[in-house]
Amino acid sequence: MGSECGPGGSQSRAVWCAHSEGWTTLHTNCDQAERPENQQSCFHVCDWHKDLYDWQLGAWNQCVPVSMRSTGALQRPAVCTRGEEGIQTREVGCVQKADGVPAEDAAICEYFEPKPRLEQACLIPCPRDCVVSQFTPWTSCSKTCGMGLQNRVRFVLAPPLFGGSACPNLTEFQTCQPGPCVGPESLYSLRVGSWGPCSVPLPRTLIKNKRNRNRQNRQGGKFWDLQVGYQTREVTCVHRSGNTDALSLCSRESLPVTYQACVLAKDCEVSDWTDWSPCSKDCYELNGPTGERTRTRRVHQFPVGEGEECPELEEKEPCTPQGEGVPPCIVYNWKTTEWTECRVDMLLSQQDRRRGNLTGLCGGGVQNHEVYCVQATSADPASSSLNSKEASRPVDGDLCLSPPPNTTQLCHIPCPVECDVSSWGAWGPCTFENCLDTAAKKGFKLRKRRIVNEPTGGTGSCPHLVEAIPCDEPSCYDWLLVKLDECIPDNERECGPGTQIPQVQCVNSDGEYVDRQLCRDAILPMPVICEVPCPKDCVLSPWTTWSLCSHTCSGKNTEGRQMRARSVLAYSAGEGGVQCPNSSALQEVRSCNDHPCTVYHWQTGPWGQCIEDTSVPSANSTGARAGVGGGDSSCSVGMQTRKVICVRVNVGQVPPKKCPESIRPETVRPCLLPCKRDCFVTPYSDWSACPAICKAGGNTKRKQNRKRIIIQLPANGGQDCPEVLAQERDCEVPSVCLGYRWKTHKWRRCQLVPWSVRQDSPGAVETCGPGLQARAVSCRKQDGGQADMGACLKFASSMPSLTQPCQLPCQDDCQLTTWSKFSSCTQDCVGVKTRKRMLVGKSKKQDQCKNNQVYPLSEIQYCPCNKYNAQPVGNWSDCILPEGGRVEGQLGMKVQGDIKECGQGYRYQAMVCYDQDNRLVETSRCNSHGYIEEACIIPCPSDCKLSEWSNWSRCSKSCGSGVKVRSKWLREKPYNGGRPCPKLDHVNQVYEVVPCLSDCGQYVWVAEPWSVWKVSNVDLKENCGEGGQTRKVRCMQNTIDGPSDPVEDYLCDPEDMPLGARDRQLPCPEDCVLSDWGAWSRCSLVRTDADYLVVFAPIVSHCNISDILCFLEKEPCSLNSNCYHYSYNITDWSTCQLSERAVCGSGMKTRMLDCVRSDGKSVDLKFCEEWQMNASCVVECPINCQLSDWSPWSECTQICGLVGKLWRRRTVLQLPQGDGRPCPPQREQWKPCPVRPCYHWRYSSWSECKSEGARCGEGLRFRNMSCFVSDGSGQGEGSLVDDELCGNLEPSVDGDKQITLEEPCTSPCPGDCYLTDWTVWSPCQLSCVSGDDLGFGSVQVRSRAVLAQEPENLLQCPEQEWEARPCTEGQCYEYKWMTGAWRSSSRLVWCQRSDGLNVTGGCPLTAQPLADRSCDPACNKPRSFCTEAGVCGCDEGYTEVMTSDGLLDQCTVIPVLEIPTAGDNRADVKTIRAVSPTQPSNSLPGRAGRTWFLQPFGPDGKLKTWVYGVAAGAFVLLVFIVSMTFLAW
């Protein structure tokens, strides 16, 4: 392997011998002569070869059908429908880039890029035959007598493509003979040839120097250096066979002129290019647009005659300024004003008359600001920021190239958070007002609540958090009993009296643990006396807990009480045992909440306004920069005060000493004063440019204006904004349009053809005759100043002619002045106008010149009878609100930031003015300003209207949690783009749902303590055994303070009623004594066989371990008996609940639940697992559609005509959201332009070709250019009007500025065979199949047919011609065979194009229908014809009579059966007559009969089906008659 780059490397490969079955064998088993090479040279490719080699792609070869490349399996289709698939190939090679030499190895290029494909699929389109039109009618006979020719021609519509059939002959000839000629036939004609080149006459030897000097000083002489010469032509006499004969054979009195003056052709000469002008851009801008520089050249010699036209005189190219001193370009950026305040619209479902004050609305809204363009300065980098409020001068918005920022944005006003407090805590102990000062001996009990959220604006709006009650014997610290130790009998005995040591902790008035030393003055709780029952003693249960206090405070009629109880578990043995106490000792009652019901608290008023604190130095600023670009920053510290009073609950204000002074809220606090913000406005913009007085349309303004923009509104007492923000003034000097015009100078002397050329012509005079005169043309500015000729070539109309024919009158010629202008009309309809001319020179004395018939000196025309009528045209415009507040303040409105626009406006309709000839004229002729105006109404949008909220419904559940609903119903649907309704149900209502709770614990069972045991089997010694207890159970109303008043038992749930009696074994002395049973344990949710309910009873007295079962009880779990499943009964989510004045945004939705036992009973929520009761939600904010202002009215869409419109548009700045008002569908408006007549120049038709002085040969044809008026619709050519009305138009016809009013032509001589003029280009046609473009482009064609005059000269005719060219925007045409009705044995068959044009070609010949049909034998019987089936049939009204061998014998008339109808006077007469079906009926009017034609044979000669039916019916009838006859016998 070579190690260096380039050729010389080598590659190797393994070569081995293999068996045909694939296994490897010895090399000797293979033919060594056929052994492949195992090594070859190669080219070592390196990366730098990529710059030296590349693929060279050859052109694609011709598309070859796939069928030709296959082995014969594919058959080419007989009928081509779309095209044939083909393959194209090309050559691809790897070559050196420098010289194209093939590379040593193609792998070099493949190393860098895959080899391009060598083949590609292609489509060979179906052949397209030439398509020609139908023949024109036959021309008139080429001769008036004798044998002549008639011609008819057709033209090419589509050229042959893709190998289609060539075009057929475009001309057909037929001989004609109008009649015999009288006398000898004219055989010779005088023919003139074409003019020869313009030649210069021989120079004269005597030329005066003065004439030379005068010629050099002529205006424009250096440009027009015209040289008048002459040209000649040949006149010959030709035979009608086309041969040229002696001129004497063409007998004429005078021969045509063979000479004429001409201008010697000179090409345009220009100077060299000037240097490039400085670049139009004189600054540097990275990635910005480039500038432009130009260079020009001047005309030294304008083209004369047939000389070559001037080349381009100006050249442009893009440029960028170069050099170190190029300053950077001025950059323009967008700036914005302050955002307006956020405006929030309420939801439709929230609209309520009771919510009249909407100033506190919060949630989502919209705000906007103004955007303007300013010049960015390099000194202030922040000036490009959109948030910067630097007061820069506004400039034209077109200077800012970047897209403008949005003028609207969504905003959000935070909703105020109301202060939320917890419930009141318990009353604290009686404590000093100030523990540091205990001399006052004045105490208070306090209870507190806390703030559970963060309210808006701090805690100043929260209710009072502390309430106080005066009390006696206050203390700041006290002992808190934590628990009692177990009862320890005295003297270390096992039972008997004992004590319980209390466990205490020192706490302050807030219940917080403090140092025990602080309670040294407090009374320490004493040990509690207790007793441990001995075996023979009475055993009592432990005390129950204290019940709730019956009242929250104590007064004259109320006193708080608490109760606790215990019961006898076992009686004493009576001998030495302690006896049980009486029943009164089993209950204890104590006072509670013994404080009076006089509650005091401090009440605060709202904070006052922040005022400046004079004791603090002021730093408030009114400067311009204090508030720019930021929010309401603080500038100094102020002071706020509020009122604080002491209030007794349910009474009112009391003296302050009644409330604890230590918790009195503050009345003064510091505050931050916001900075004063002055109004800021931009400087005035530059004055707008004064419009040019020559602006098209004439509706120019004579005012210029400037404005300034408020970028910051005043706040906090800052300086107010100025009242005047815009100024307007009159334009000082109207600008003048820059323009150029041609100035023509005096015509020079008429120059004749040299006498040496003319002298041999008969009748020629040396000093008179036809000649040519020239003039100079110069360029002028509109104000008349001199201008460069190139300016007029570039900006002015076409150059006036430099020469014209002239006539030097001879001595006997009549000379007249040109016609004067017509005099003005003094009165229309009845007046006249005249123009005059005069004889000049010697013509005044010549008699032949005084002949007014030949040389009239005056002309009279009647004045036109101008009558005008105006009429409206077109549709009414959109209804447009007036601008400038004409009636907007009263009848219309436009809400800032809203799209509500309605009220009275105006609509317009164009007026058109016609004269008496129905020609369009200026509307001022009809005393009209161009349109009529009519008041109209834009209906105001009406929002969806809902009713007020209904009352809340009852809670959906009488016990537990449910929902309650209120609703609004639809009062009025929205229309005219009003805000849509919220989502309504099928009865057009909207609902609000909130959870509710019906308290299931409103009534509860209350059980009194158990009574003393009553033993049924009394053993006076033992007092134990079977016994029972009873207690009272009452239904009571549950209140916040606990059960209060007893009510009827049916109000409580009977299933929850506690037991009123129980039976049990009363323990005997020395028995194990247990307390009451505790609660059953819970079963598992999934019950198993091993599940049991377990209940425990605590040991009270002398039980052994062996008695363990006596305090444990079990029973099996049974679902819905003693074991239950628990699940939630959950209400639906409520509607999203917002804060008080919020209209949208984040809220909370809630739901409530019941804990339901598996047997369906509602139980306490503690039995169920926790569940999410609240969830966040979002109410979509109502954002109305925001639209931009209307744009200025556009220019008229048409310069003239009836259909011109002015448009203005607006765009959507903010799409609507939620139930905001939708965008109106009308985003653009139009109104008509004043109607203006459309004047344009139009050519007349070419005149016949005339060969002056001869019958045939080269000649001229002429046409005129006239002024026409039209309505701009493009329909029709318009009406001819005076040329003066087109005087302001540049001479051009259909956009072509090159005006051609005469052109050379050839007039054929008798007997000539010649080509017609070129036809107009055909319509552009695509290559299509079934309307689908095949992608081969479009083409159009024109053709020339042959016309002949003599049958003998047909062999001398030229070939017909056609030519095609590509075009754009082609159209698809389809071709279809059409057939006519059969007439005898033939019918018409023709090809028709899809646009209805009958053509030849285009339709496939294989699908051509038959045009003739024949029968064998021929149908030569009267009234017979050959049918489509190829058999003979008869005409309608005749029936076929066939021979025995099935051939037509004759056609006979079908008998006609007439059935008279109602109203026929001869209804009682029935006739059968034979009539000819071709004869018209002679029945009376009103008599309509039904005629049946009984025709047994069909067109094919066979019997019709009904004949067989009639025969079968007749046979059956015959059999029936025979049978009946037989039976009768």
Side-chain angles (χ1 to χ4, degrees), residues 60-70 74 84-90 118-124:
W60 289 107
N61 297 326
Q62 186 177 2
C63 191
V64 179
V66 176
S67 58
M68 295 181 61
R69 297 189 49 161
S70 63
L74 297 177
E84 186 177 359
E85 296 180 354
I87 293 179
Q88 287 177 293
T89 60
R90 65 178 176 182
L118 303 177
E119 295 181 347
Q120 72 173 5
C122 56
L123 180 68
I124 303 175

PDB file of all heavy atoms in Angstrom, residues 60-70 74 84-90 118-124:
ATOM      1  N   TRP A  60     -29.013  15.182 -19.734  1.00  0.00           N
ATOM      2  CA  TRP A  60     -29.888  14.011 -19.838  1.00  0.00           C
ATOM      3  C   TRP A  60     -30.174  13.712 -21.301  1.00  0.00           C
ATOM      4  O   TRP A  60     -30.481  14.615 -22.090  1.00  0.00           O
ATOM      5  CB  TRP A  60     -31.195  14.249 -19.091  1.00  0.00           C
ATOM      6  CG  TRP A  60     -31.056  14.272 -17.587  1.00  0.00           C
ATOM      7  CD1 TRP A  60     -31.114  15.357 -16.783  1.00  0.00           C
ATOM      8  CD2 TRP A  60     -30.826  13.152 -16.739  1.00  0.00           C
ATOM      9  NE1 TRP A  60     -30.932  15.006 -15.473  1.00  0.00           N
ATOM     10  CE2 TRP A  60     -30.763  13.639 -15.403  1.00  0.00           C
ATOM     11  CE3 TRP A  60     -30.676  11.781 -16.947  1.00  0.00           C
ATOM     12  CZ2 TRP A  60     -30.544  12.804 -14.314  1.00  0.00           C
ATOM     13  CZ3 TRP A  60     -30.473  10.962 -15.862  1.00  0.00           C
ATOM     14  CH2 TRP A  60     -30.411  11.458 -14.562  1.00  0.00           C
ATOM     15  N   ASN A  61     -30.076  12.435 -21.672  1.00  0.00           N
ATOM     16  CA  ASN A  61     -30.371  12.031 -23.038  1.00  0.00           C
ATOM     17  C   ASN A  61     -31.875  11.997 -23.272  1.00  0.00           C
ATOM     18  O   ASN A  61     -32.665  12.238 -22.368  1.00  0.00           O
ATOM     19  CB  ASN A  61     -29.763  10.646 -23.323  1.00  0.00           C
ATOM     20  CG  ASN A  61     -28.254  10.673 -23.219  1.00  0.00           C
ATOM     21  OD1 ASN A  61     -27.630  11.672 -23.561  1.00  0.00           O
ATOM     22  ND2 ASN A  61     -27.661   9.591 -22.721  1.00  0.00           N
ATOM     23  N   GLN A  62     -32.244  11.687 -24.494  1.00  0.00           N
ATOM     24  CA  GLN A  62     -33.654  11.634 -24.844  1.00  0.00           C
ATOM     25  C   GLN A  62     -34.350  10.548 -24.041  1.00  0.00           C
ATOM     26  O   GLN A  62     -33.775   9.512 -23.724  1.00  0.00           O
ATOM     27  CB  GLN A  62     -33.802  11.377 -26.345  1.00  0.00           C
ATOM     28  CG  GLN A  62     -35.245  11.437 -26.838  1.00  0.00           C
ATOM     29  CD  GLN A  62     -35.323  11.238 -28.338  1.00  0.00           C
ATOM     30  OE1 GLN A  62     -34.309  11.031 -28.974  1.00  0.00           O
ATOM     31  NE2 GLN A  62     -36.523  11.307 -28.881  1.00  0.00           N
ATOM     32  N   CYS A  63     -35.607  10.827 -23.706  1.00  0.00           N
ATOM     33  CA  CYS A  63     -36.405   9.879 -22.932  1.00  0.00           C
ATOM     34  C   CYS A  63     -36.747   8.688 -23.814  1.00  0.00           C
ATOM     35  O   CYS A  63     -37.356   8.835 -24.880  1.00  0.00           O
ATOM     36  CB  CYS A  63     -37.679  10.558 -22.419  1.00  0.00           C
ATOM     37  SG  CYS A  63     -38.593   9.596 -21.209  1.00  0.00           S
ATOM     38  N   VAL A  64     -36.336   7.490 -23.374  1.00  0.00           N
ATOM     39  CA  VAL A  64     -36.544   6.258 -24.149  1.00  0.00           C
ATOM     40  C   VAL A  64     -37.649   5.458 -23.489  1.00  0.00           C
ATOM     41  O   VAL A  64     -37.625   5.262 -22.262  1.00  0.00           O
ATOM     42  CB  VAL A  64     -35.238   5.434 -24.215  1.00  0.00           C
ATOM     43  CG1 VAL A  64     -35.460   4.143 -24.988  1.00  0.00           C
ATOM     44  CG2 VAL A  64     -34.131   6.256 -24.840  1.00  0.00           C
ATOM     45  N   PRO A  65     -38.630   4.985 -24.233  1.00  0.00           N
ATOM     46  CA  PRO A  65     -39.698   4.202 -23.598  1.00  0.00           C
ATOM     47  C   PRO A  65     -39.149   2.968 -22.905  1.00  0.00           C
ATOM     48  O   PRO A  65     -38.187   2.341 -23.370  1.00  0.00           O
ATOM     49  CB  PRO A  65     -40.621   3.839 -24.766  1.00  0.00           C
ATOM     50  CG  PRO A  65     -40.316   4.842 -25.826  1.00  0.00           C
ATOM     51  CD  PRO A  65     -38.865   5.188 -25.676  1.00  0.00           C
ATOM     52  N   VAL A  66     -39.777   2.626 -21.807  1.00  0.00           N
ATOM     53  CA  VAL A  66     -39.362   1.433 -21.070  1.00  0.00           C
ATOM     54  C   VAL A  66     -39.559   0.198 -21.912  1.00  0.00           C
ATOM     55  O   VAL A  66     -38.770  -0.755 -21.860  1.00  0.00           O
ATOM     56  CB  VAL A  66     -40.151   1.346 -19.744  1.00  0.00           C
ATOM     57  CG1 VAL A  66     -39.812   0.070 -19.000  1.00  0.00           C
ATOM     58  CG2 VAL A  66     -39.876   2.549 -18.881  1.00  0.00           C
ATOM     59  N   SER A  67     -40.614   0.204 -22.735  1.00  0.00           N
ATOM     60  CA  SER A  67     -40.893  -0.974 -23.555  1.00  0.00           C
ATOM     61  C   SER A  67     -39.781  -1.246 -24.548  1.00  0.00           C
ATOM     62  O   SER A  67     -39.549  -2.389 -24.935  1.00  0.00           O
ATOM     63  CB  SER A  67     -42.222  -0.775 -24.288  1.00  0.00           C
ATOM     64  OG  SER A  67     -42.176   0.389 -25.097  1.00  0.00           O
ATOM     65  N   MET A  68     -39.065  -0.241 -24.975  1.00  0.00           N
ATOM     66  CA  MET A  68     -37.983  -0.438 -25.927  1.00  0.00           C
ATOM     67  C   MET A  68     -36.741  -0.992 -25.247  1.00  0.00           C
ATOM     68  O   MET A  68     -35.900  -1.615 -25.894  1.00  0.00           O
ATOM     69  CB  MET A  68     -37.648   0.883 -26.633  1.00  0.00           C
ATOM     70  CG  MET A  68     -38.777   1.412 -27.503  1.00  0.00           C
ATOM     71  SD  MET A  68     -38.351   2.952 -28.341  1.00  0.00           S
ATOM     72  CE  MET A  68     -36.953   2.418 -29.331  1.00  0.00           C
ATOM     73  N   ARG A  69     -36.600  -0.765 -23.942  1.00  0.00           N
ATOM     74  CA  ARG A  69     -35.425  -1.253 -23.233  1.00  0.00           C
ATOM     75  C   ARG A  69     -35.631  -2.649 -22.669  1.00  0.00           C
ATOM     76  O   ARG A  69     -34.701  -3.289 -22.244  1.00  0.00           O
ATOM     77  CB  ARG A  69     -35.082  -0.310 -22.088  1.00  0.00           C
ATOM     78  CG  ARG A  69     -34.705   1.071 -22.567  1.00  0.00           C
ATOM     79  CD  ARG A  69     -34.177   1.906 -21.459  1.00  0.00           C
ATOM     80  NE  ARG A  69     -33.152   1.222 -20.666  1.00  0.00           N
ATOM     81  CZ  ARG A  69     -32.276   1.839 -19.875  1.00  0.00           C
ATOM     82  NH1 ARG A  69     -32.308   3.142 -19.781  1.00  0.00           N
ATOM     83  NH2 ARG A  69     -31.402   1.170 -19.176  1.00  0.00           N
ATOM     84  N   SER A  70     -36.889  -3.102 -22.625  1.00  0.00           N
ATOM     85  CA  SER A  70     -37.163  -4.428 -22.081  1.00  0.00           C
ATOM     86  C   SER A  70     -36.915  -5.473 -23.154  1.00  0.00           C
ATOM     87  O   SER A  70     -36.622  -5.181 -24.304  1.00  0.00           O
ATOM     88  CB  SER A  70     -38.602  -4.484 -21.572  1.00  0.00           C
ATOM     89  OG  SER A  70     -39.499  -4.285 -22.650  1.00  0.00           O
ATOM     90  N   LEU A  74     -42.988  -6.233 -22.388  1.00  0.00           N
ATOM     91  CA  LEU A  74     -43.962  -5.147 -22.275  1.00  0.00           C
ATOM     92  C   LEU A  74     -44.495  -4.787 -23.658  1.00  0.00           C
ATOM     93  O   LEU A  74     -43.741  -4.743 -24.639  1.00  0.00           O
ATOM     94  CB  LEU A  74     -43.319  -3.906 -21.627  1.00  0.00           C
ATOM     95  CG  LEU A  74     -42.844  -4.103 -20.189  1.00  0.00           C
ATOM     96  CD1 LEU A  74     -42.164  -2.839 -19.696  1.00  0.00           C
ATOM     97  CD2 LEU A  74     -44.017  -4.458 -19.284  1.00  0.00           C
ATOM     98  N   GLU A  84     -46.359   7.734 -21.841  1.00  0.00           N
ATOM     99  CA  GLU A  84     -45.657   6.466 -21.676  1.00  0.00           C
ATOM    100  C   GLU A  84     -44.450   6.676 -20.781  1.00  0.00           C
ATOM    101  O   GLU A  84     -43.731   7.674 -20.904  1.00  0.00           O
ATOM    102  CB  GLU A  84     -45.221   5.931 -23.048  1.00  0.00           C
ATOM    103  CG  GLU A  84     -44.601   4.550 -22.974  1.00  0.00           C
ATOM    104  CD  GLU A  84     -44.253   4.018 -24.359  1.00  0.00           C
ATOM    105  OE1 GLU A  84     -44.515   4.731 -25.342  1.00  0.00           O
ATOM    106  OE2 GLU A  84     -43.725   2.911 -24.439  1.00  0.00           O
ATOM    107  N   GLU A  85     -44.262   5.732 -19.861  1.00  0.00           N
ATOM    108  CA  GLU A  85     -43.127   5.814 -18.965  1.00  0.00           C
ATOM    109  C   GLU A  85     -41.843   5.553 -19.733  1.00  0.00           C
ATOM    110  O   GLU A  85     -41.766   4.663 -20.577  1.00  0.00           O
ATOM    111  CB  GLU A  85     -43.273   4.809 -17.826  1.00  0.00           C
ATOM    112  CG  GLU A  85     -44.459   5.088 -16.918  1.00  0.00           C
ATOM    113  CD  GLU A  85     -44.568   4.073 -15.804  1.00  0.00           C
ATOM    114  OE1 GLU A  85     -43.786   3.101 -15.829  1.00  0.00           O
ATOM    115  OE2 GLU A  85     -45.429   4.247 -14.914  1.00  0.00           O
ATOM    116  N   GLY A  86     -40.835   6.343 -19.385  1.00  0.00           N
ATOM    117  CA  GLY A  86     -39.556   6.205 -20.047  1.00  0.00           C
ATOM    118  C   GLY A  86     -38.400   6.361 -19.091  1.00  0.00           C
ATOM    119  O   GLY A  86     -38.573   6.555 -17.883  1.00  0.00           O
ATOM    120  N   ILE A  87     -37.187   6.240 -19.630  1.00  0.00           N
ATOM    121  CA  ILE A  87     -35.960   6.349 -18.838  1.00  0.00           C
ATOM    122  C   ILE A  87     -35.004   7.262 -19.590  1.00  0.00           C
ATOM    123  O   ILE A  87     -34.846   7.163 -20.809  1.00  0.00           O
ATOM    124  CB  ILE A  87     -35.328   4.968 -18.584  1.00  0.00           C
ATOM    125  CG1 ILE A  87     -36.223   4.134 -17.668  1.00  0.00           C
ATOM    126  CG2 ILE A  87     -33.948   5.110 -17.965  1.00  0.00           C
ATOM    127  CD1 ILE A  87     -35.682   2.754 -17.390  1.00  0.00           C
ATOM    128  N   GLN A  88     -34.358   8.149 -18.838  1.00  0.00           N
ATOM    129  CA  GLN A  88     -33.317   9.007 -19.378  1.00  0.00           C
ATOM    130  C   GLN A  88     -31.989   8.612 -18.755  1.00  0.00           C
ATOM    131  O   GLN A  88     -31.912   8.240 -17.573  1.00  0.00           O
ATOM    132  CB  GLN A  88     -33.599  10.479 -19.052  1.00  0.00           C
ATOM    133  CG  GLN A  88     -34.712  11.113 -19.840  1.00  0.00           C
ATOM    134  CD  GLN A  88     -34.961  12.539 -19.406  1.00  0.00           C
ATOM    135  OE1 GLN A  88     -35.410  12.782 -18.293  1.00  0.00           O
ATOM    136  NE2 GLN A  88     -34.682  13.490 -20.273  1.00  0.00           N
ATOM    137  N   THR A  89     -30.954   8.685 -19.517  1.00  0.00           N
ATOM    138  CA  THR A  89     -29.602   8.396 -19.023  1.00  0.00           C
ATOM    139  C   THR A  89     -28.709   9.601 -19.246  1.00  0.00           C
ATOM    140  O   THR A  89     -29.038  10.501 -20.033  1.00  0.00           O
ATOM    141  CB  THR A  89     -29.009   7.167 -19.737  1.00  0.00           C
ATOM    142  OG1 THR A  89     -28.942   7.443 -21.148  1.00  0.00           O
ATOM    143  CG2 THR A  89     -29.872   5.931 -19.489  1.00  0.00           C
ATOM    144  N   ARG A  90     -27.601   9.613 -18.540  1.00  0.00           N
ATOM    145  CA  ARG A  90     -26.608  10.664 -18.714  1.00  0.00           C
ATOM    146  C   ARG A  90     -25.248  10.120 -18.348  1.00  0.00           C
ATOM    147  O   ARG A  90     -25.116   9.079 -17.696  1.00  0.00           O
ATOM    148  CB  ARG A  90     -26.933  11.880 -17.856  1.00  0.00           C
ATOM    149  CG  ARG A  90     -26.875  11.612 -16.359  1.00  0.00           C
ATOM    150  CD  ARG A  90     -27.149  12.867 -15.558  1.00  0.00           C
ATOM    151  NE  ARG A  90     -27.177  12.592 -14.121  1.00  0.00           N
ATOM    152  CZ  ARG A  90     -27.443  13.510 -13.185  1.00  0.00           C
ATOM    153  NH1 ARG A  90     -27.694  14.756 -13.549  1.00  0.00           N
ATOM    154  NH2 ARG A  90     -27.464  13.180 -11.913  1.00  0.00           N
ATOM    155  N   LEU A 118     -27.327   7.800 -12.614  1.00  0.00           N
ATOM    156  CA  LEU A 118     -27.107   7.795 -14.056  1.00  0.00           C
ATOM    157  C   LEU A 118     -28.412   7.716 -14.828  1.00  0.00           C
ATOM    158  O   LEU A 118     -28.429   7.986 -16.033  1.00  0.00           O
ATOM    159  CB  LEU A 118     -26.215   6.607 -14.454  1.00  0.00           C
ATOM    160  CG  LEU A 118     -24.844   6.545 -13.773  1.00  0.00           C
ATOM    161  CD1 LEU A 118     -24.110   5.296 -14.214  1.00  0.00           C
ATOM    162  CD2 LEU A 118     -24.032   7.779 -14.110  1.00  0.00           C
ATOM    163  N   GLU A 119     -29.487   7.320 -14.164  1.00  0.00           N
ATOM    164  CA  GLU A 119     -30.771   7.186 -14.834  1.00  0.00           C
ATOM    165  C   GLU A 119     -31.844   7.875 -14.011  1.00  0.00           C
ATOM    166  O   GLU A 119     -31.709   8.027 -12.793  1.00  0.00           O
ATOM    167  CB  GLU A 119     -31.143   5.704 -15.021  1.00  0.00           C
ATOM    168  CG  GLU A 119     -30.223   4.940 -15.941  1.00  0.00           C
ATOM    169  CD  GLU A 119     -30.677   3.499 -16.099  1.00  0.00           C
ATOM    170  OE1 GLU A 119     -31.547   3.083 -15.295  1.00  0.00           O
ATOM    171  OE2 GLU A 119     -30.189   2.801 -17.001  1.00  0.00           O
ATOM    172  N   GLN A 120     -32.902   8.260 -14.684  1.00  0.00           N
ATOM    173  CA  GLN A 120     -34.074   8.796 -13.989  1.00  0.00           C
ATOM    174  C   GLN A 120     -35.312   8.514 -14.815  1.00  0.00           C
ATOM    175  O   GLN A 120     -35.244   8.380 -16.044  1.00  0.00           O
ATOM    176  CB  GLN A 120     -33.950  10.308 -13.743  1.00  0.00           C
ATOM    177  CG  GLN A 120     -34.088  11.175 -14.954  1.00  0.00           C
ATOM    178  CD  GLN A 120     -34.120  12.662 -14.614  1.00  0.00           C
ATOM    179  OE1 GLN A 120     -33.938  13.026 -13.466  1.00  0.00           O
ATOM    180  NE2 GLN A 120     -34.321  13.499 -15.610  1.00  0.00           N
ATOM    181  N   ALA A 121     -36.406   8.393 -14.129  1.00  0.00           N
ATOM    182  CA  ALA A 121     -37.670   8.147 -14.810  1.00  0.00           C
ATOM    183  C   ALA A 121     -38.132   9.416 -15.516  1.00  0.00           C
ATOM    184  O   ALA A 121     -37.879  10.533 -15.065  1.00  0.00           O
ATOM    185  CB  ALA A 121     -38.729   7.675 -13.814  1.00  0.00           C
ATOM    186  N   CYS A 122     -38.827   9.245 -16.614  1.00  0.00           N
ATOM    187  CA  CYS A 122     -39.354  10.376 -17.371  1.00  0.00           C
ATOM    188  C   CYS A 122     -40.671   9.964 -17.996  1.00  0.00           C
ATOM    189  O   CYS A 122     -41.041   8.785 -17.979  1.00  0.00           O
ATOM    190  CB  CYS A 122     -38.366  10.860 -18.436  1.00  0.00           C
ATOM    191  SG  CYS A 122     -37.849   9.545 -19.584  1.00  0.00           S
ATOM    192  N   LEU A 123     -41.363  10.925 -18.520  1.00  0.00           N
ATOM    193  CA  LEU A 123     -42.666  10.695 -19.130  1.00  0.00           C
ATOM    194  C   LEU A 123     -42.629  11.161 -20.572  1.00  0.00           C
ATOM    195  O   LEU A 123     -42.261  12.293 -20.866  1.00  0.00           O
ATOM    196  CB  LEU A 123     -43.767  11.443 -18.365  1.00  0.00           C
ATOM    197  CG  LEU A 123     -45.188  11.276 -18.898  1.00  0.00           C
ATOM    198  CD1 LEU A 123     -45.658   9.846 -18.694  1.00  0.00           C
ATOM    199  CD2 LEU A 123     -46.145  12.245 -18.217  1.00  0.00           C
ATOM    200  N   ILE A 124     -42.989  10.238 -21.443  1.00  0.00           N
ATOM    201  CA  ILE A 124     -43.094  10.569 -22.867  1.00  0.00           C
ATOM    202  C   ILE A 124     -44.558  10.889 -23.138  1.00  0.00           C
ATOM    203  O   ILE A 124     -45.416  10.003 -23.082  1.00  0.00           O
ATOM    204  CB  ILE A 124     -42.628   9.403 -23.749  1.00  0.00           C
ATOM    205  CG1 ILE A 124     -41.185   9.022 -23.395  1.00  0.00           C
ATOM    206  CG2 ILE A 124     -42.750   9.763 -25.224  1.00  0.00           C
ATOM    207  CD1 ILE A 124     -40.686   7.794 -24.126  1.00  0.00           C
TER     208      ILE A 124
END
